[in-house]
Structure formats: structure tokens, C-alpha cells
Amino acid sequence: AYFMRFVLYIFLALLVLTTSTPQAHAGLAVASTHGDVSRGFNYDLSDMTPQEAEWFRTFLNGTFFTDGWQQITDTILQNFDAEERIRQRRVLERLGYKIGREWSRDNDERKISTPMLRKWGRKLKATVDEQPQQLAEVLEEIDEEVDSLLR
């Protein structure tokens, strides 16, 4: 049963995220983004189990098949002017931390599932493509939804 669950986790991660796991201190996940879009940020994972920390890093960096939070953040930030980019970077950092920490927990305990990640990812990508001027509002909506799930 444990092996099948592990295989399912791996399969789901491959469907949801992209790239390899970063080399980082066990209690720290680092999201270093590209270019001048953002400078990167650190997350304290010291209170997470090693497995949760590994899943969190996967959430940040993705897998071969899908983008992780780091790439999503870079894409979104490109749609803001320099001043607003700073504010939205902080919004994205906090949102990613909340989503990633909860999603990284054991399936029986977590309140954020892989289908939710997919739904939010599709919504963000559609907004970037079709109505980038609405990104701040969509981020706020997702943040409110996450907060309500975590209560």
C-alpha cells in the first residue's frame, strides 16, 4: 500500500510540476528566478518532514512536464510595471508559500489537492493570455480561496 501511494505521488507530481529539485539546505527552499523579473526568495521549511520539504521543492521548481511556482511567478511578474512588480512579487511569494506548504502535506491531511493546483494554474495562464490587466484581481481571488480552505 505504501509503495502504491508513493508511485501515485510521483505520478501526480509529474502531472503538476516541472524541472528538477533544487540543491538546497534541508530546512530551506530557495526559489531563484531568472533575469530582472524577481530576485528570488527563501522559505523556511525547518518544521516540515523531509518528505514534505521535498514535495515543497517540487512545487516550487516543478517537474519535466509542468511549470513549478517559480516559473509561474516569473511569467506573471512580466505583466506588471516595475513598481507593481515589487508588490505582486510579495503577494506571489506569500501565496506560493501557503499553497506549497499545504499541498506538500500527506494526502490524508492536506486541504489543497493537485486538482486545485491545476485549476488555479489554468486560471492564471488564461488570465495572462487573455486579460493580463486582471492578474492582480485573480491573484487576490485565489489568495482568498486558499485562506478559506486553510481556516
Side-chain angles (χ1 to χ4, degrees):
Y2 177 78
F3 177 74
M4 290 305 293
R5 187 173 174 184
F6 177 75
V7 170
L8 179 61
Y9 282 163
I10 296 298
F11 178 73
L12 289 173
L14 291 173
L15 291 175
V16 176
L17 309 163
T18 51
T19 73
S20 65
T21 302
Q23 299 298 320
H25 183 272
L28 185 67
V30 179
S32 56
T33 54
H34 310 290
D36 66 345
V37 174
S38 63
R39 290 187 284 271
F41 33 87
N42 297 319
Y43 294 107
D44 179 10
L45 308 181
S46 61
D47 63 338
M48 298 177 86
T49 68
Q51 183 179 8
E52 289 170 340
E54 184 69 21
W55 280 113
F56 187 85
R57 286 187 288 274
T58 300
F59 168 79
L60 287 179
N61 294 292
T63 67
F64 182 73
F65 296 105
T66 59
D67 294 339
W69 191 252
Q70 175 179 321
Q71 182 61 41
I72 291 167
T73 295
D74 284 347
T75 301
I76 290 170
L77 290 177
Q78 292 172 9
N79 292 276
F80 293 103
D81 63 34
E83 187 176 313
E84 184 65 10
R85 188 176 294 152
I86 294 167
R87 190 177 94 64
Q88 292 302 325
R89 182 181 178 281
R90 282 185 241 130
V91 168
L92 287 159
E93 180 178 356
R94 285 189 304 268
L95 182 59
Y97 190 61
K98 288 189 288 190
I99 292 171
R101 283 188 66 87
E102 186 64 25
W103 178 80
S104 299
R105 295 170 52 132
D106 187 65
N107 281 352
D108 297 336
E109 300 172 13
R110 69 184 184 185
K111 297 176 183 175
I112 293 178
S113 66
T114 299
M116 290 174 187
L117 295 182
R118 285 190 201 117
K119 178 185 84 168
W120 294 326
R122 284 190 303 268
K123 187 172 188 174
L124 287 168
K125 286 179 184 185
T127 304
V128 165
D129 292 342
E130 299 163 15
Q131 297 178 312
Q133 71 280 6
Q134 299 294 318
L135 274 167
E137 292 172 34
V138 170
L139 287 170
E140 187 175 321
E141 290 171 14
I142 292 171
D143 191 48
E144 289 172 4
E145 187 176 348
V146 169
D147 285 345
S148 72
L149 289 166
L150 297 180
R151 286 188 194 122

